[in-house]
Amino acid sequence: MDALTLADELALLAHDDAGTDRLGWPGLDHGLAGALLLDLAVAGRVELVDDRLVVTDPAPVGRPLLDDALARIAGERKLRKPQDWVTRLAKDLPRRVLDGLVAAGVLRRESDRVFWVVPRTRYPSPTGTEPAVETEARQRMWAAIVGDGPVPPRTAALLGLTRAVRLHRTLFGDLPRQRVERRLDEIGAGDWGSAATRRAIEQTQAALLTATTAATAAAIAGATAAGA
């Protein structure tokens, strides 16, 4: 498989060893949409202008999901905030990302029913052990958290994503929480990439938090209304 996208890495990290999704909806959906935006920012295809996402280079990246997202952003007449694109790109995104990982042989798909009634789909590794590409992502992130030096842009972006969807608490649960949060603050403010990319990550983190909170609140309100 070609080098993983940030969405691929986030999807792998979001599933446990049994292939079960730790984040669920809306966390995984919106997190993957944010990953597309950050990959485009790191690749120099988009940047923020007055808090709106602007295409600076329409040339395809060479990855279907990224190129689809780039084309949608470029084809929109109205400039939109990252939050708008997070919600617009999220639809059906987990399935598309996971299908790509299955097609590449990184994961396999298992479908069954819980108590013979509730359908369930899981995405474990074909070998029963953690995929090597996921291990590599974990090692990059761990080295960044326990170290104090500069962090590559993609690793900083991936750490920002995991923090925005609150997955970092699981990934770094063996480390003191205050230490992890302090290091994440340092990485977010560090001189590891262009100012435009750092700003895109900051805005996408904020967009993910806003979009995920709003979607969760709407789901709770709908469930409450249905049960009334």
Side-chain angles (χ1 to χ4, degrees):
M1 183 179 186
D2 295 336
L4 297 186
T5 64
L6 289 173
D8 292 329
E9 291 181 326
L10 182 63
L12 289 171
L13 294 167
H15 286 76
D16 62 21
D17 290 341
T20 302
D21 177 11
R22 292 187 179 107
L23 291 176
W25 184 90
L28 182 59
D29 307 60
H30 289 161
L32 294 177
L36 297 183
L37 298 183
L38 292 190
D39 246 331
L40 291 174
V42 172
R45 299 302 196 272
V46 299
E47 65 180 39
L48 286 167
V49 176
D50 295 330
D51 295 331
R52 297 296 196 273
L53 206 62
V54 175
V55 174
T56 55
D57 181 357
V61 179
R63 303 301 295 269
L65 286 179
L66 293 177
D67 292 340
D68 287 350
L70 182 61
R72 287 185 63 181
I73 298 169
E76 185 72 32
R77 296 179 62 182
K78 178 182 178 181
L79 297 180
R80 299 184 181 277
K81 294 181 178 181
Q83 180 184 338
D84 296 328
W85 283 115
V86 163
T87 55
R88 284 168 173 260
L89 296 173
K91 184 178 180 181
D92 202 33
L93 193 52
R95 181 193 63 79
R96 296 174 68 193
V97 173
L98 290 165
D99 280 353
L101 290 169
V102 170
V106 177
L107 298 177
R108 60 187 171 89
R109 185 183 295 103
E110 284 186 356
S111 297
D112 59 8
R113 292 180 179 271
V114 180
F115 300 120
W116 301 280
V117 177
V118 182
R120 175 179 63 178
T121 301
R122 295 183 295 176
Y123 294 88
S125 165
T127 63
T129 59
E130 181 176 277
V133 287
E134 180 181 351
T135 300
E136 190 275 335
R138 288 180 182 274
Q139 290 173 344
R140 282 191 354 251
M141 297 168 68
W142 188 271
I145 290 295
V146 300
D148 57 7
V151 177
R154 282 185 53 80
T155 301
L158 184 58
L159 286 166
L161 281 169
T162 60
R163 189 183 201 183
V165 296
R166 300 180 177 87
L167 184 59
H168 66 298
R169 297 175 182 174
T170 299
L171 298 177
F172 306 112
D174 293 337
L175 294 175
R177 179 174 294 184
Q178 288 185 340
R179 175 183 176 182
V180 172
E181 297 290 349
R182 183 169 60 251
R183 179 58 176 155
L184 287 171
D185 287 340
E186 291 174 356
I187 292 171
D191 185 20
W192 46 261
S194 71
T197 304
R198 289 200 305 275
R199 188 159 174 263
I201 288 180
E202 292 171 358
Q203 289 291 323
T204 302
Q205 281 183 285
L208 282 172
L209 291 171
T210 301
T212 302
T213 301
T216 302
I220 293 173
T224 301

